[in-house]
Amino acid sequence: MAIAMTLLTLALLPFVAALAIALLHGAPRIVHLGIAGAASAAGLALLASLAAPALGGDTPFARWDWVPSLGLDLTLMVDPLGWMFGLLILGIGLLVVIFGHSYLHENEDTGRFFASLMLFQGAMLGIVIAGNVLLLLVFWELTSLASFLLIGFCQHKAEARQGARMALAVTGGGGLALIAGMVLLGLIAGSFDLTTILARGDMVRAAPLYPLMLGLILLGAFTKSAQFPFHFWLPHAMAAPTPVSAYLHSATMVKAGVFLLARLWPVLAGTELYTVTVTSVGLVTMIFGAGVALFRHDLKSILAYSTISQLGMLVMLLGFSREAAVLAAMLHILNHAAFKAALFMSAGIVEHETGTRDIRRLGGLAKAMPVTALIATLAAASMAGLPPLGGFISKELMLYETIAFSSPNAVWLLPALATVGATFSVAYSLRFAAHLFAGRPREAEPFARAHDPSPAMWASPALLTAFAVLLGLAPMWFAAPLVSAVTAAVTASAPAPVELGLWHGVNLALVLSASAVAVGAALLLQHRRLLAAWEAARLPDAGRLFECVLALADRRARKAMVAVHAPSLQRMLLASFAVTILLVIEGALTGGGVLTGARAGLPASLPAIAAWALLIAATAAVALGSRDRLRALIYVGVIGLVVSLAFAVLSAPDLALTQIAVEVVTVLLMLLALNLLPKRPPVLSSAPRKARDAAIAIAGGVLFGAIAWAMLTRDPGPSIAAFHLANAKPGGGGTNVVNVILVDFRAYDTLGEIIVLGIAGLGIFALLDTAGKGAAGARLRAWRADMPRSPERHPVMLVTASRIILPLTLMVGIYLFLRGHNQPGGGFIAALVVAVAFLVQYLAAGFDWSDARKPFGEHQLIGWGVLVAMATGLGAMAPGSPFLTSWFDYFSLPLIGKFELASAMLFDTGVFLTVLGAVMLALQELSHIAQATARPGGEEAP
Amino acid sequence: MSGAVPFAELLAAALIVLGAGFALVGSWGLVRLPSLMERLHAPTKATTLGLGAMLAGSVVWFQLVKGEWTTHELLVPVFLFVTAPIAANMIAKVHLHALRSGDASAPAGPAGAPPPPPGRADWATHEAPHQGTPCDFEGDERR
Amino acid sequence: MTRRLLPHPGLSALLAGMWMVMVNDLTVGTLFFGLVVGVAVPIFTAPWWPGRPRVRFLPALAYAALVVRDIVVANVEVAAIILFKRNRDLRPVWLTIPLELSSPEAITVFAGTISLTPGTVSADLSACGKFLLVHALHASDPAGEIAKVKARYEVRLKEIFHA
Amino acid sequence: MLEGALAFGFAGLGLALAMNLWRLVRGPGTADRILALDTMVINVIGVIVLAGIAGGSPAAFEAALLLAMVGFVGTVAYAKFLLRGDIIE
Amino acid sequence: MSYEFLLATAIGVLVAGGIYLALRARTFQVVLGLTLISYAVNLFLFASGRLVLNRPPIWDAAKGGAVSAYTDPLPQALVLTAIVITFGMTAFMVILSLRSFLETGSDHVDGEAVPCDAQDGLADGLADGEGAAP
Amino acid sequence: MNLADHLPILPVAIPALAAPAALLVMRRRRELAVGIGFAATLAQLAVAALLMARASGGTILAYAFGAWPAPFGIVLVADRLAGLMLVLTACLALIALLHAVVTRADRKGWHFHPLFQFQLMGLNGAFLTGDLFNLFVFFEVLLIASYGLMLHGQGPARLKAGVQYVAVNLVGSALFLIALGMLYALTGTLNMADMGLKVRALAPADQGLLRIAALLLGSVFALKAAAVPLHLWLVRTYAAATPAVAALFAIMTKVGVYALIRVVPQVFGEGAGAAAWAPAPWLWPAALASVVIGFAGVFTARSLAEQAAYAVIGSTGTLLIAVAGWSAASLGAALSYLPHSTFTTAALFLVADVAARRRGSFADAASPGPEFAGRGLAGLMFMAAAIAATGLPPLSGFIGKLLILKSAAALPQWGWSWGVILGTTLIGVIGFARTGSAVFWKTNAASDTPHPPETRRDLLAPALALACLAALAAGAGRASAYADAAAAQVLGPARSAAAVLAEGPR
Ligand code: NA
Ligand code: NA
């Protein structure tokens, strides 16, 4: 339990610190430093407390459930590998925090800086102590995100933003490959638990998907560790503040890839595919990085390419799949961490003091800043692999391993190439030290400013350099126990005693090493000439290439997307219709069956055929001759008439009534709208487009006609309607079964339906209420009648007749409403009839006259209608029945006789009110805006 | 009652035939008469009357043959007789309006263009109604 | 008070009667409900029918009977014209009928009657309200036609509407 | 007897509808088309009435009544549109 | 010819006309097209109860509750709901098209400004020229 | 029945009462309408949580309207899936409502609060119903309300987009009705559980019609879900809508996905003859294409709102990849990812609004503008939303995507699914990084003076959305267990049919 809490605290500490710093964003910078430093130090202490069990083989371990169904658990463990990386992350992290405090200027946003840094630290630490590969992935991607924030810290600088994006794209992209690889690994191994997976190496390597999985995981590792050809993000990442670079290059981020290779060594390593791929990528990267580093001028850029090269070396060593090579790699990780962090900090000091990082402008700084010079020179010597420094030992081991590993066919090749890499390393390392500190100052200005910083700033690199020196002088003290334990952990073998030392006698490795130093020094002497040749070669820059490809992709993709997604309704509908037609054809062909069923047809009467001809002619006229819009509306009226007739004849009186009533309201609406729309707009579509649309239309028509035919010629099976027919009267209290369905069996549908209508009314109101303002208002005010008008507004006969028509129609409405439950009619139809009755008044006597006499508000009608319908439904719940349970009974009164009262009638009243309100609202508002056009302009007759 | 049935049926059948005949004549007039004003005569009257006859046939049929008490069919012709003249009036106004505004698709027909009314006023379709006349419905307050 | 309760008594009676016809039911209950409708609806619609034309009922009924008769008889004439008269023999003509009626209701009924009775259609009213434009399908004697219409219908309507 | 009358009625109304169609398509004026539609509505009412008689069911009455009302409103609205543009003013 | 044939072909013709119009460039035409499609849809939904003459779904004591004595009432109820909903949607669409036309000065379905007829009352009456902006 | 038995109706009844109430008071007392809106939304959240709790045990609550027994009347079915959708809707609604009120978007036009409640009523009704026609009706309710909300605030862009949105959905509704008609003609029933039983008995002669109906219905739902190529309507609509509304619309495409999940296994599942899993072979490629198009749009977008709209397509596509697997694992993964996807797109729209409200004339265009107040925090929020949208850790999208990848691995052609999901994630990362750095990092010295934000409270709603994502990540274990159980329930329609059809007679 204590272990579990320790692990959890260890894992959470950096995140808590990051959050605390973010929350205390406005506090003095010392607070930020304090929190970050304390968290790192506390983490180190916790890690130290775990040293004994972790290195002693009793791996501290804790597990909490997170997403069991996925296999993602919060498993934390600190094995020797994790412990060593944790040490680097927290130790160098602490030093970076201290250094960063001095490095950052007064006005810089330390809150954001330290919060991001701690987030990064937490993510990195998470990777190394994760005991579940999915959890590892979580932290892995987090490092990409945190590094995005850190690299882009100087948001105003273009290169910072670009570098951040590039790092995110490359490492994030690799991370996605890693996700795929890890999930595959887990699926192959049957578990996402790291310990379990590591125990199933043979099983994994034998799996058919092993090559794919390996490729994906390596992609993740290589991108993170900046292996060629994914290296280019790393030099761009130097846009980050230098302390970050120090951290990124020495202990975090790039080391994550190496860590991953080490972590999964027991499952991945050993196959030929693994060995060949990893070794060659590492080797190429080592030589490439070292070569390029020789010709960079920015101090951080030199160091960045050096990092690429050094990481190539580590990767190559891990690729050998040999225990001894792993040991070399682990030792070099320590060395590299120490000298690289020191070097970056030194570069930071130089920049901080001189204002430049361009090595061509600097020189002879040893005089001005001796302490810095000493620190940097020692660190560079370690990087060059010079004795008696730590770098020398690991480079010796590396060269030794290349010899040991060499294939029998080309014994010389690998050691030779490795030596080339080592030679370049010597050259750029020496250049870093020599050109910076030795000789004379190349430019006066930076030199004039230069002096050693305060100890607070050089303490961190000094400490690291001291460590690098001690690693060389006393490797058995400072490295051997740890490296031995870590190597055992990586290779999943028992810890073996390790011999580390500066002197192993004269062997081939020493010879190669010595020649590398000699040739490297020689190269440095010829640097000017080499540089000229290099610059003449003008090799392509992968980073720039990446940007170009992205920009090109963006342009092309944008063009294509805009072309495809032009906001064209025609295209949207075309897609819908085409998909529909395609699906109908597919369904018919795949499903099979017969087109014409066995049901006997009903012979049609002569008027039916005539009406059918009317409908077809009217449809054709609307479709083909719709330029005269009023005429098109008249044809639509004909279609509506025929449809109404069809309903009336085919035993659907309610439908006929509804269709008739809706029809006229629709016509009124369309006419009102058409008044303000162009009456005869120009033709827009081209002939081919019309032909294409016609083809689609005909295909759709034929298919849906055929479906209708297939449906109509089949006999119906048993239907739930039988229940409705049987229960309408006894259970629902009404003889009009359609109405009983509407207000009882399926009253809930009707509730939704009236709400739709009510909302439509409100929406229409909202649309038209603002029509008098803005551009629309300007247009309305500038509106001129587009056809000659008769000056007579209210014809006498019409007005007079409308006065008698109103009460007559209202009476019909009342009649239709009251009998709806038993005979054709009902609230909806009644509402439309009443609405028409009022609309006739508007038509005849005009808007103002009629509107002033209207006794109701449409909003209120809609609101109360819905409430009444809802109340009817809720009323049923009081006696404990479900919502919308109906109630009815028969009563008898003297004189009046027997009559029925039903809750359905109340529900229908709600329907009536809502429908009336919505219809009146729509038409009334529409005519209202037409009034706005007519009023100020007065009469006009062009 | 048994003697009444054939008569009732005969009456109903006759009304139906008569009604359909008038409807047919109305629509035929619509087709063959020379211009809109002439055509207007046919459907507004013949067709309406035809429908009335058919509805009367329906009343007779249900009343006497099926023994069902129905009268409400009669409301349909009543309604039509109220509305048909108004509809005809409005269509005629449209025609006059088109004539005056020179719409090529509305030729004057054999009766020519209507002469203006005596006095200073024009027809209401061409001139706003004078204040205070029965044609002025701008506001009842003034009436 | 009666004015408030029964703004148009004739209308109320008409509605109650039509209710009975519409419901197909001649019971007391229906009559009661018809009366309720007949009273309630006019009250509700009163604002839309300002003024209160005074109508003589019996002459109105007689007039209605006359018109129905005319419709039936004269329709046959029009049918004959449509069926048998060639277009070139047709003598359509515009008639300008001077009006002696003044209330909108009376003018409307007059014009409506002219339209319903075959051979003539009321096309327009003059802006001053004093002339009615009528289209005759076939009139060899326009002046006689005008006189006939005025005598047969306008005179009666003047009586009915107290004009 | 009644069957014969109904057959005649249906045939007559069918023919009448066809004639209405002719006038509707032919025009020439918009007023002609409105008139054709107006006539058509009355003929359709006739069809509904006859179908009610043929089927022995009076349920078609409401449709006939409503159609009579609504046909009128439609005609007036079309006409008003041609006369004034704005049908409700 | 059977009613079934007439109805099926009518549905087909309405669908074809509706699709063709819906693919045109003017909101008014699109509204008409959608109206035609909704006619077709209502008829189709109605047809799912099959066609029956003279047996309206009005319960009749003489006929009792036998299924064969009536046409299927359920599709009728569904069509009723559909008609109402379609009406609301169509009304909204009409007003929206009009409103969009007023705002943008174009009745093109995409709101693009397209030159209108000279007789078009709204197109050239605008003082501030906003309608001409692409 | 006691009150607890009425629980399933409350998610519909509460907004159905609140909306007209808000309508009736809003003309005079605006604050009262706001209060009604919040109270109703909170009440819905509470009810939804109760329903979810009751459903989580596996019981299926069936509520028969009017006491008419299924399949003759309409039933509500509150199962795990419904519970999930209801809770999700209520949470999202609260966030959207908060943003609307805080940014005063609710005052920019008429009827915001009534429409908002009607919208919720439509959504809740659609998620609860067990009846296919009733599903149509509530689709229409939510659509018409969405038209009103989409146009809220008006202006040419919204009006233009609105015309298209409405027209496309009218076509969708027409297709829905046609499919419904065919299914009723074939099965004689509208209750989905009953229909699922009836389709098994159809004659061979009817199989073609049945399959057509299944495919048409599938295409309607795909249209709502904006699956490529039926996605064209979405971008302009969502980008133009008021941000608070766009945030609420994050649930709208999920309605289509929900309908597929609800209807296909129940009606067109095993034993449905030619219609068995009929939409599946079309859905999967459409889903892949949606993901590609969606993230290509994220990559090329020139404004944050446009980017968010494309992210909707991409994330719904990802969801549909999982749905198209139709296995318990893949459906479970889909249901785990669904809430995440919803909150994410909401957060994107809201953060875009936060930026737009502060950048003056630059609005949310992905080009450098003025340095504005609260840029750091807004930028972090955008980053978090982008992390969620691309499915990177530590937010819940990562877990959802892992679940989808894992479940897809068991299916043939898993490589395509994996490749597309992961490849588009990279494209998305690049796209978000670019717009984010342009809007929140880069500044344009030549730009006009920044708007001081009238309120910093507009950060509240996006923060809440992000908090939901964090909570989803933290509680991912329970969430995915619930999702798996819901998926298993959906895929076992026999038990659900038994529960629904066993409702006693009246
Ligand atoms: Na309904
Ligand atoms: Na008429």
Side-chain angles (χ1 to χ4, degrees), chain A residues 741-743 746-751 753, chain E residues 77-78 80-82, chain F residues 133 137:
Chain A
I741 292 175
L742 289 177
V743 298
R746 298 185 68 86
Y748 183 57
D749 274 349
T750 308
L751 181 66
E753 164 202 324
Chain E
L78 304 188
L80 251 168
T81 305
Chain F
F133 189 80
V137 170

Side-chain angles (χ1 to χ4, degrees), chain A residues 676 771-784 933, chain E residues 98-106 113 121-133, chain F residues 156:
Chain A
L676 298 173
K773 300 171 191 141
R779 254 183 210 96
L780 278 176
R781 283 188 292 280
W783 193 88
R784 288 187 285 104
T933 68
Chain E
L98 173 66
R99 187 67 180 75
S100 173
F101 171 67
L102 290 177
E103 193 79 23
T104 62
S106 160
L122 290 183
D124 42 15
L126 201 69
D128 57 9
E130 224 191 290

Side-chain angles (χ1 to χ4, degrees), chain A residues 630-723:
Chain A
L630 177 66
R631 202 182 290 177
L633 278 186
I634 295 176
Y635 291 130
V636 170
V638 172
I639 298 170
L641 182 66
V642 175
V643 171
S644 312
L645 176 65
F647 287 144
V649 169
L650 293 167
S651 309
D654 277 287
L655 284 185
L657 291 180
T658 310
Q659 185 69 53
I660 292 164
V662 162
E663 202 56 47
V664 68
V665 178
T666 310
V667 164
L668 293 180
L669 187 84
M670 300 269 227
L671 285 174
L672 281 169
L674 183 56
N675 178 36
L676 298 173
L677 286 169
K679 310 296 180 293
R680 283 178 69 87
V683 178
L684 288 181
S685 304
S686 60
R689 178 163 222 167
K690 282 183 174 170
R692 179 200 71 186
D693 294 346
I696 287 179
I698 290 169
V702 167
L703 289 172
F704 281 101
I707 293 174
W709 172 254
M711 195 169 77
L712 283 165
T713 54
R714 281 162 159 74
D715 273 315
S719 155
I720 55 171
F723 177 91

